[in-house]
Amino acid sequence: MIKAILIFNNHGKPRLSKFYEHYSEDTEQQIIRETFHLVSKRDENVCNFLEGGMLIGGSDYKLIYRHYATLYFVFCVDSSESELGILDLIQVFVETLDKCFENVCELDLIFHVDKVHNILAEMVMGGMVLETNMNEIISQVDAQNKMEKSETFIFQSTRQDR
Amino acid sequence: MPAVSKGDGMRGLAVFISDIRNCKSKEAEIKRINKELANIRSKFKGDKALDGYSKKKYVCKLLFIFLLGHDIDFGHMEAVNLLSSNKYTEKQIGYLFISVLVNSNSDLIRLINNAIKNDLASRNPTFMNLALHCIANVGSREMAEAFASEIPSILVAGDTMDSVKQSAALCLLRLNRTSTDLVPMGEWTARVVHLLNDQHLGVVTAAASLITTLAQKSPDDFKTSISLAVARLSRIVTSASIDLQDYTYYFVAAPWLSVKLLRLLQCYPPPEDAAIRSRLTECLETILNKAQEPPKSKKVQHSNAKNAVLFEAITLIIHHDSEPTLLVRACNQLGQFLQHRETNLRYLALESMCTLASSEFSHETVKTHIETVINALKTERDVSVRQRAVDLLYAMCDRSNAKQIVAEMLSYLETADYSIREEIVLKVAILAEKYAVDYTWYVDTILNLIRIAGDYVSEEVWYRVIQIVINRDDVQGYAAKTVFEALQAPACHENLVKVGGYILGEFGNLIAGDSRSSPLVQFNLLHSKFHLCSVPTRALLLSAYIKFINLFPEVKTTIQDVLRSDSQLRNADVELQQRAVEYLRLSCIASTDILATVLEEMPPFPERESSILAKLKRKKGPGNLPDIDDARRHVNGSTEHSEITEHTKKGSTHPFDDPLNLSSTPSTGASLLVDVFSDSTTLAPVDVSEENFPRFVCKNNGVIFENQLLQIGLKSEYRQNLGRMYVFFGNKTSTQFLSFSASLNVHAKTVEPIIEGGAQVQQILNIECISDFTDAPLLSIQFRYGGALQNIAVKLPVMLNKFFQPTEMTSQDFFQRWKQLGIPQQEVQKIFKAKHPMDTEVAKAKILGFGVALLDGVDPNPANFVGAGVIHTKNTQVGCLLRLEPNTQAQMYRLTLRTSRDSVSQRLCDLLSEQF
């Protein structure tokens, strides 16, 4: 099971945090800091897996991460997940973001937190992998956007009426 | 066209985010955020009804603020209102807020559940998916109660859309993990298995995850999934990529689903049906073959996906452990990966090989890779990989290569990362002991260990070397000689001084013949370290000195002079002072014979599981099954004979300093440690008396058991994690009890075997709380009265709350900590009817007796009781806050407990709530 999905930048600023297990707000922030500390001190080209920090449950959990330009994508998982599989999943996630935002960059994640959450929700649900097929994910996201567009249109016309 | 167009965001939100990003300092950021929070609050509270768009905008802002690490304590109601909107965007943002910022406020949960219910019934797949996502992401018990019975029917209904089926499967999986008891098994289980045949591969993937989890819990119910899973796997692996929709990922056919199916098969032994079995073998061979084919793409994603499947197949082969050819092929494949240029693959290969090493078919093959693994230990740049290499060396070690592996680990230890040193020390110590052919090698290894990494050598390790030296007389002379030499080093680790002091004190005579290690030289050597050592070590050295007096009468006066000096006799530390006084006195007045008896060589330790091994197991956790709720609970109780002669008991009066009486080392036979809970099968088949048990929750003394024959009284005292209990057995009759025994399960360490009519005997139990526990120890008593054998079992009132230390704190501190312990599992609440008259003073006395401090003036309502304390166990301390709210009108109480550990909260709540 995936326990948490974290995205932060090279300075440790969180850009997305999604916990599938309940922690207090303080603990969540501490976990983000601890994870950043663990991951950021690692060289490039070392392996993408390491044992989880104390707060997240120690050596029973693994951190599986990828570093893209300015952002770290970190999945914290238990032993029931395939390490390479999760690595693929991160790749699918990033490629999907890239398609949805056209050359995704850190700013997109900042200004569209809700969208990023929605895309992630199409892939992972309650800590379990829901969908790995990028085309399927994108078509779901497209469908959502269409609904959103149609509603925005109604919206704006009614707003102007007022 | 991009799926998200950038222009249609909410302007107000974008402006706010830009403002935050432009803040030059943390203070400015906080100021801007507070301004925005005030703005949103006033908008929410204002008279003007907000339209959906504004609500959505503000909720988005709150989400952003939350992500930055600020508390959000409002907006939940607005989010819940958005749930019932019939506009998709509003509903969606409402659900997003709920699942990110879930709040255990029960009123709110009811409203949320209501909205979810409506959406599930809406037959609109988008809305249903949102609702299922929310249930899965929150996964709370209330939600499980409300929906656990409904979701299976959505999952297996014929007309459910594929995407909804996927969500429903995972939603059910999540609820099964969080509240297993609430998910009903039923006729739907058979239909779930058939989802493995579904057209849609996404549905199959989700179903495979669900079935894997369910099959782990009740394998028999899902046995039919084996053949379906093998068939599906076979179609993916062996056929060309047809019917795979878009599930081919970088030229690999449905890697994710393959992994899931292989995981599912790991829940079962190899298929019994020969046809299925050969089909599976064929799949596994194909996967292994594909690994040898040239890659279809140079992209790392291609090799990742391919290898994800390969590793999972290898794991399954190892799990089945039945096909020697496959095992050897798997092993060779992993051997290739050990030298692969991809670090990830080297890491995984080391990890998988660890499990392979334990199979009898492949152990030898694994061993052939020893040089590569040792090389990895030396050259890998990544500590994660080196750690795996250590694990593998440990796993592949046997008698044939132990010396080489231990030597390599020792040399690695000199440069190893601090984070893994302690673990390596334990591993080296275990291997050295397990595979020692001659014990001189063992002694050398442990002394090296102390020299190289003394700080990481825990007590268990050096206790163990002493146990072994004492038990094996062939190594004692060598050990004495070696420690003597090691102590020559100008700076040596304190642990070495401890081992040296102990061993020379026992066996110094074996090397005293050599003038270079004459008694005086030995003593001077030890004493030269004395002043650099901590109090426990000095105490141990003093014991070694008195042993010297016995071994070597010629140094008696020298040692007496040392003991007599002011720095000993008037030492500020009471323990050292007492030892000096007692030993000096003993050496002056006792005759040689008495000295020889009192200071006799230690008797051998009984063989038992190595305490080091136990420690490593503790360190590594309960294994790799994430679902197992491993609450290790045990208490060590040591029963002590009541009539121990003074001199054999010397050690136990100083239980903190001396290895003789600590840990699991019964030293003199007078005290025997019994692991009270380790062996539940030996519980006597008699009825257990526990009627008086609850009376002891808030007090320590009294009568625990009484019948016509026998009365058992208790007096107990507790300090931190230690306790001592005096048990008094009173014979109420005028006849003797014969063959009387009272034992904590197996070991019948007898009390006085005969109790005269009307007489009383006493037994002392020493108790140590290792970690939190629920069950209490049983004392079983047997005796003959007249001709009849009497059997009695009494539950001893050793409860968790006995290890409380009260804590005083201010109102502010209390509420701060109360807030910190805010996770739902940490709180346990019980509302119950008063069983006794509700008297304030009595309640106060009970809470104090429970062990916590009563805090006045903390709760705004003076009728309420608030308490705080810390539970001390050997491993941890658990802070605990409690609140008792009496309602005299209703004759009810509400008791709330918050501790950092859910099992503790629950146990304490159960104990205390029975008292009112």
Side-chain angles (χ1 to χ4, degrees), chain B residues 33-52:
Chain B
I33 285 172
N34 284 337
K35 189 178 148 204
E36 191 63 38
L37 285 175
N39 171 36
I40 300 172
R41 211 187 285 264
S42 73
K43 285 283 184 339
F44 281 165
K45 286 234 172 89
D47 318 325
K48 223 176 93 194
L50 290 174
D51 59 19

mmCIF file of all heavy atoms in Angstrom, chain B residues 33-52:
data_model
loop_
_atom_site.group_PDB
_atom_site.id
_atom_site.type_symbol
_atom_site.label_atom_id
_atom_site.label_comp_id
_atom_site.label_asym_id
_atom_site.label_seq_id
_atom_site.Cartn_x
_atom_site.Cartn_y
_atom_site.Cartn_z
ATOM 1 N N ILE B 33 -1.074 35.349 4.907
ATOM 2 C CA ILE B 33 -1.981 34.220 5.087
ATOM 3 C C ILE B 33 -3.054 34.536 6.114
ATOM 4 O O ILE B 33 -4.243 34.278 5.902
ATOM 5 C CB ILE B 33 -1.187 32.959 5.480
ATOM 6 C CG1 ILE B 33 -0.458 32.415 4.252
ATOM 7 C CG2 ILE B 33 -2.108 31.872 6.044
ATOM 8 C CD1 ILE B 33 0.499 31.306 4.546
ATOM 9 N N ASN B 34 -2.632 35.147 7.206
ATOM 10 C CA ASN B 34 -3.613 35.483 8.242
ATOM 11 C C ASN B 34 -4.657 36.458 7.717
ATOM 12 O O ASN B 34 -5.841 36.349 8.034
ATOM 13 C CB ASN B 34 -2.912 36.061 9.473
ATOM 14 C CG ASN B 34 -2.240 34.954 10.268
ATOM 15 O OD1 ASN B 34 -2.636 33.788 10.173
ATOM 16 N ND2 ASN B 34 -1.217 35.309 11.016
ATOM 17 N N LYS B 35 -4.183 37.394 6.889
ATOM 18 C CA LYS B 35 -5.120 38.347 6.299
ATOM 19 C C LYS B 35 -6.155 37.601 5.435
ATOM 20 O O LYS B 35 -7.353 37.836 5.529
ATOM 21 C CB LYS B 35 -4.332 39.340 5.443
ATOM 22 C CG LYS B 35 -5.147 40.505 4.945
ATOM 23 C CD LYS B 35 -4.267 41.464 4.145
ATOM 24 C CE LYS B 35 -5.101 42.116 3.040
ATOM 25 N NZ LYS B 35 -4.282 42.586 1.925
ATOM 26 N N GLU B 36 -5.636 36.651 4.662
ATOM 27 C CA GLU B 36 -6.522 35.914 3.767
ATOM 28 C C GLU B 36 -7.499 35.049 4.577
ATOM 29 O O GLU B 36 -8.682 34.976 4.273
ATOM 30 C CB GLU B 36 -5.692 35.031 2.826
ATOM 31 C CG GLU B 36 -6.485 34.427 1.687
ATOM 32 C CD GLU B 36 -7.062 35.484 0.747
ATOM 33 O OE1 GLU B 36 -6.366 36.487 0.488
ATOM 34 O OE2 GLU B 36 -8.207 35.303 0.307
ATOM 35 N N LEU B 37 -6.963 34.409 5.642
ATOM 36 C CA LEU B 37 -7.838 33.579 6.476
ATOM 37 C C LEU B 37 -8.965 34.416 7.064
ATOM 38 O O LEU B 37 -10.128 33.998 7.088
ATOM 39 C CB LEU B 37 -7.029 32.903 7.588
ATOM 40 C CG LEU B 37 -6.144 31.729 7.163
ATOM 41 C CD1 LEU B 37 -5.303 31.240 8.334
ATOM 42 C CD2 LEU B 37 -6.987 30.585 6.616
ATOM 43 N N ALA B 38 -8.611 35.628 7.525
ATOM 44 C CA ALA B 38 -9.639 36.500 8.104
ATOM 45 C C ALA B 38 -10.673 36.850 7.050
ATOM 46 O O ALA B 38 -11.884 36.827 7.298
ATOM 47 C CB ALA B 38 -8.979 37.762 8.659
ATOM 48 N N ASN B 39 -10.177 37.146 5.856
ATOM 49 C CA ASN B 39 -11.075 37.486 4.749
ATOM 50 C C ASN B 39 -12.052 36.345 4.466
ATOM 51 O O ASN B 39 -13.271 36.543 4.395
ATOM 52 C CB ASN B 39 -10.217 37.813 3.525
ATOM 53 C CG ASN B 39 -11.053 37.958 2.268
ATOM 54 O OD1 ASN B 39 -12.176 38.459 2.327
ATOM 55 N ND2 ASN B 39 -10.514 37.496 1.146
ATOM 56 N N ILE B 40 -11.486 35.112 4.349
ATOM 57 C CA ILE B 40 -12.350 33.967 4.016
ATOM 58 C C ILE B 40 -13.354 33.725 5.142
ATOM 59 O O ILE B 40 -14.542 33.491 4.910
ATOM 60 C CB ILE B 40 -11.497 32.705 3.780
ATOM 61 C CG1 ILE B 40 -10.531 32.933 2.625
ATOM 62 C CG2 ILE B 40 -12.375 31.507 3.479
ATOM 63 C CD1 ILE B 40 -9.528 31.827 2.431
ATOM 64 N N ARG B 41 -12.858 33.837 6.359
ATOM 65 C CA ARG B 41 -13.749 33.608 7.503
ATOM 66 C C ARG B 41 -14.928 34.577 7.465
ATOM 67 O O ARG B 41 -16.076 34.174 7.659
ATOM 68 C CB ARG B 41 -12.948 33.802 8.783
ATOM 69 C CG ARG B 41 -13.415 32.954 9.936
ATOM 70 C CD ARG B 41 -12.666 33.342 11.180
ATOM 71 N NE ARG B 41 -11.291 32.848 11.181
ATOM 72 C CZ ARG B 41 -10.911 31.721 11.771
ATOM 73 N NH1 ARG B 41 -11.798 30.969 12.378
ATOM 74 N NH2 ARG B 41 -9.665 31.338 11.748
ATOM 75 N N SER B 42 -14.613 35.837 7.196
ATOM 76 C CA SER B 42 -15.706 36.812 7.206
ATOM 77 C C SER B 42 -16.662 36.544 6.046
ATOM 78 O O SER B 42 -17.866 36.709 6.166
ATOM 79 C CB SER B 42 -15.140 38.233 7.136
ATOM 80 O OG SER B 42 -14.656 38.470 5.839
ATOM 81 N N LYS B 43 -16.114 36.091 4.908
ATOM 82 C CA LYS B 43 -16.986 35.768 3.778
ATOM 83 C C LYS B 43 -17.921 34.607 4.138
ATOM 84 O O LYS B 43 -19.111 34.634 3.842
ATOM 85 C CB LYS B 43 -16.148 35.384 2.560
ATOM 86 C CG LYS B 43 -15.488 36.568 1.871
ATOM 87 C CD LYS B 43 -16.509 37.306 1.042
ATOM 88 C CE LYS B 43 -15.981 38.465 0.206
ATOM 89 N NZ LYS B 43 -14.735 39.095 0.530
ATOM 90 N N PHE B 44 -17.338 33.599 4.796
ATOM 91 C CA PHE B 44 -18.143 32.433 5.162
ATOM 92 C C PHE B 44 -19.194 32.797 6.201
ATOM 93 O O PHE B 44 -20.303 32.283 6.199
ATOM 94 C CB PHE B 44 -17.253 31.319 5.730
ATOM 95 C CG PHE B 44 -16.530 30.530 4.677
ATOM 96 C CD1 PHE B 44 -15.464 29.709 5.015
ATOM 97 C CD2 PHE B 44 -16.919 30.596 3.352
ATOM 98 C CE1 PHE B 44 -14.799 28.978 4.049
ATOM 99 C CE2 PHE B 44 -16.258 29.868 2.379
ATOM 100 C CZ PHE B 44 -15.190 29.069 2.723
ATOM 101 N N LYS B 45 -18.802 33.695 7.099
ATOM 102 C CA LYS B 45 -19.716 34.041 8.191
ATOM 103 C C LYS B 45 -20.730 35.096 7.771
ATOM 104 O O LYS B 45 -21.731 35.310 8.440
ATOM 105 C CB LYS B 45 -18.903 34.568 9.381
ATOM 106 C CG LYS B 45 -18.160 33.476 10.138
ATOM 107 C CD LYS B 45 -18.522 33.523 11.610
ATOM 108 C CE LYS B 45 -17.943 32.322 12.337
ATOM 109 N NZ LYS B 45 -16.582 32.577 12.842
ATOM 110 N N GLY B 46 -20.411 35.802 6.671
ATOM 111 C CA GLY B 46 -21.214 36.964 6.284
ATOM 112 C C GLY B 46 -22.655 36.619 5.987
ATOM 113 O O GLY B 46 -23.031 35.456 5.823
ATOM 114 N N ASP B 47 -23.477 37.672 5.874
ATOM 115 C CA ASP B 47 -24.914 37.460 5.651
ATOM 116 C C ASP B 47 -25.163 37.021 4.220
ATOM 117 O O ASP B 47 -26.050 36.233 3.929
ATOM 118 C CB ASP B 47 -25.701 38.760 5.893
ATOM 119 C CG ASP B 47 -25.188 39.473 7.114
ATOM 120 O OD1 ASP B 47 -24.790 38.748 8.057
ATOM 121 O OD2 ASP B 47 -25.168 40.716 7.124
ATOM 122 N N LYS B 48 -24.331 37.558 3.313
ATOM 123 C CA LYS B 48 -24.606 37.290 1.908
ATOM 124 C C LYS B 48 -24.312 35.833 1.579
ATOM 125 O O LYS B 48 -23.242 35.323 1.898
ATOM 126 C CB LYS B 48 -23.726 38.196 1.042
ATOM 127 C CG LYS B 48 -24.491 38.794 -0.141
ATOM 128 C CD LYS B 48 -23.604 39.749 -0.917
ATOM 129 C CE LYS B 48 -22.925 39.010 -2.063
ATOM 130 N NZ LYS B 48 -21.826 39.738 -2.666
ATOM 131 N N ALA B 49 -25.264 35.157 0.998
ATOM 132 C CA ALA B 49 -25.036 33.764 0.607
ATOM 133 C C ALA B 49 -24.005 33.735 -0.515
ATOM 134 O O ALA B 49 -24.049 34.533 -1.442
ATOM 135 C CB ALA B 49 -26.344 33.139 0.135
ATOM 136 N N LEU B 50 -23.028 32.864 -0.401
ATOM 137 C CA LEU B 50 -21.980 32.788 -1.418
ATOM 138 C C LEU B 50 -22.440 31.896 -2.564
ATOM 139 O O LEU B 50 -23.092 30.880 -2.330
ATOM 140 C CB LEU B 50 -20.714 32.184 -0.813
ATOM 141 C CG LEU B 50 -19.971 33.045 0.184
ATOM 142 C CD1 LEU B 50 -18.835 32.245 0.793
ATOM 143 C CD2 LEU B 50 -19.443 34.292 -0.476
ATOM 144 N N ASP B 51 -22.063 32.253 -3.771
ATOM 145 C CA ASP B 51 -22.379 31.339 -4.865
ATOM 146 C C ASP B 51 -21.332 30.228 -4.917
ATOM 147 O O ASP B 51 -20.300 30.292 -4.250
ATOM 148 C CB ASP B 51 -22.474 32.081 -6.204
ATOM 149 C CG ASP B 51 -21.183 32.787 -6.534
ATOM 150 O OD1 ASP B 51 -20.143 32.424 -5.939
ATOM 151 O OD2 ASP B 51 -21.203 33.690 -7.380
ATOM 152 N N GLY B 52 -21.624 29.220 -5.702
ATOM 153 C CA GLY B 52 -20.743 28.057 -5.771
ATOM 154 C C GLY B 52 -19.331 28.426 -6.172
ATOM 155 O O GLY B 52 -18.357 27.927 -5.615
#
